[in-house]
Structures are given as C-alpha cells and as structure tokens.
Amino acid sequence: MTEKTAPLIAWHGGQVSAAQRRALLDQIPLTLWLTGLSASGKSTLAFALERELIAQGRACYVLDGDNVRHGLNRDLGFSAADRAENIRRIAEVARLMNDAGLIVITAFISPYRNDRAMAREIIGQANVREVYLNTPLAVCEARDPKGLYRQARAGRVAQFTGISSPYEAPERPDLTLDTARHSLEDAVAQLLAVIHAGQERSVGWAAKPNV
Ligand SMILES: Nc1ncnc2c1ncn2[C@@H]1O[C@H](COP(=O)(O)OP(=O)(O)O)[C@@H](O)[C@H]1O
Ligand SMILES: [Mg+2]
C-alpha cells in the first residue's frame, strides 16, 4: 500500500457474524498448519485428512505448497524473502477461509520460524494448530517422490530445504509426527484428533455420525 492510496482504502464490514457462519456450518474454523521437509508427507496427509473430514460432513480445504505456486504465488521463488512472501499470502488466504467458516489444512515446507510466527499472527493464534512432520531427512531423501533430492544433491536445484537451505524445527508444535513411524491411517487419526479437540464448543460436532 503506498501513501497515496492508503487514505482511499477503508475496511467495509459485512453483516454476517462469525457466530452465524459457525451455526450455519456447525463447526469452528481452524487452520491446521503442517510444516516439514519436502517428502515428509505434508501433501499426502493433508489430502487424506481432507477426504476424511469431507466424509464426516465438514467444510474444509487444503492449501498446498506446489498447487499455490502454480497460481497465486507463481511469481515467487525460494529465496528467504520469497518464502516469507509465500507464507504471508498463504496465511492471508487461510485467514479469509477461516473467516468464511472453513477448516483449512496447509501443506507448506514453511522452514523458517519467523515466517510461521508471522502466519500465526495473521491467522490469529487461537485459530492455528501447528503440526511438525519430523520425518528424518534420510527417509525423505530415500522417498524422493519428485526426484527433487536427487536433483538438489546434483546441484541442479538451488536453495533446497534440508540440503542447501535450512529447516528450523518448531519449538512448541501442537503435534509432532514422524511418518516413517506412523502409518498414513494412524497419522490421519492423530490429525483428526487435533481438529476434534478444537471443536469442543461446537454443539453438533460430537453428535455427527462417523466422528
Ligand atoms: N505414513 C506416511 N504418511 C505420509 N506419506 C507417506 C507415509 N509413508 C510413506 N509416505 C510417502 O511419502 C511421500 C510423501 O510425499 P508428499 O506427501 O508429497 O510430501 P510433502 O508434501 O511433504 O513434500 C509420498 O510418496 C507418500 O506416499
Ligand atoms: Mg507437498
């Protein structure tokens, strides 16, 4: 926002309250923020969890790193500044989706503590649950579903997290999961438990089938 345009922009509030949206969807919006190395299992878990939540009648949506970089963030690279801007935009989108009443699952490496703190600040601390996928680098590298580690080791991908760019582990995640030690089913069940714990005040939640 430039100084010239700033005075021209004013917040225009809506006429629908958060409580009305909660009542309509019978759920408390949350953002489940998955962080971890490439191939740690973020996308696999996020989409499996989304399928499960939809099957339980919950309105949810996955914001996935690669997918977002196809569109909204196609102009961004992997420098520290671009990663920060990537996370800032994602957080703003997650905030809007939470505001609309949705449960949001994000699947971004999001390697920097400061960027994740910024995201929590934007979305609102109370609405975020941080999940650290601490799958060991060696396991991620052996999986290498997209061949990226191989390319990074060969020096063909610059600033690759875990190889040539740092990953800063969360200090107080709400949940830590090593997908080398937990099956996909087990991991999804643990993520569901985090979401369910955030629904305590949602009257209808416990009454729904399959929960
Ligand atoms: N328990 C598990 N949870 C998640 N992924 C697993 C698990 N076991 C094996 N995998 C495999 O690990 C890979 C994880 O890749 P992906 O989900 O794309 O990771 P990310 O999105 O973190 O880069 C996939 O090939 C997936 O099939
Ligand atoms: Mg992914």
Side-chain angles (χ1 to χ4, degrees):
M1 207 184 332
T2 66
E3 278 175 26
K4 270 185 181 167
T5 58
L8 301 177
I9 299 169
W11 186 264
H12 197 130
Q15 296 172 35
V16 179
S17 70
Q20 278 177 294
R21 292 185 203 277
R22 286 177 185 199
L24 179 71
L25 294 171
D26 183 27
Q27 63 182 30
I28 294 176
L30 281 177
T31 294
L32 196 69
W33 191 280
L34 307 182
T35 171
L37 296 172
S38 181
S40 59
K42 301 179 298 295
S43 300
T44 303
L45 282 180
F47 287 115
L49 176 65
E50 179 186 49
R51 190 187 57 192
E52 195 58 34
L53 283 167
I54 292 287
Q56 294 185 5
R58 302 301 162 188
C60 60
Y61 197 77
V62 173
L63 293 171
D64 182 80
D66 283 0
N67 295 359
V68 167
R69 281 181 180 274
H70 272 98
L72 178 67
N73 291 354
R74 70 193 309 164
D75 56 323
L76 301 176
F78 292 88
S79 67
D82 277 9
R83 285 180 195 259
E85 177 61 9
N86 185 45
I87 297 306
R88 189 191 67 79
R89 290 185 199 171
I90 299 318
E92 291 286 358
V93 172
R95 188 179 71 83
L96 291 173
M97 287 186 165
N98 279 171
D99 199 33
L102 299 177
I103 292 168
V104 177
I105 308 154
T106 71
F108 300 87
I109 298 174
S110 44
Y112 297 120
R113 262 183 220 123
N114 280 349
D115 292 352
R116 294 193 302 265
M118 167 184 66
R120 286 198 299 274
E121 203 58 45
I122 289 170
I123 299 166
Q125 303 281 354
N127 301 331
V128 180
R129 302 292 179 275
E130 191 173 65
V131 178
Y132 173 32
L133 299 188
N134 70 341
T135 313
L137 175 63
V139 173
C140 296
E141 194 163 355
R143 287 177 178 169
D144 208 10
K146 298 176 208 146
L148 293 174
Y149 282 97
R150 198 162 26 84
Q151 291 195 54
R153 289 289 185 197
R156 288 197 292 272
V157 185
Q159 298 170 314
F160 195 76
T161 303
I163 306 291
S164 47
S165 188
Y167 179 81
E168 300 171 357
E171 282 163 336
R172 282 182 300 279
D174 294 280
L175 177 67
T176 301
L177 261 176
D178 175 354
T179 63
R181 292 165 177 266
H182 295 276
S183 68
L184 183 56
E185 265 186 358
D186 181 15
V188 168
Q190 292 195 48
L191 296 176
L192 271 175
V194 173
I195 304 257
H196 286 185
Q199 301 295 322
E200 283 152 5
R201 287 171 293 144
S202 177
V203 178
W205 180 272
K208 287 228 173 182
N210 304 323
V211 177

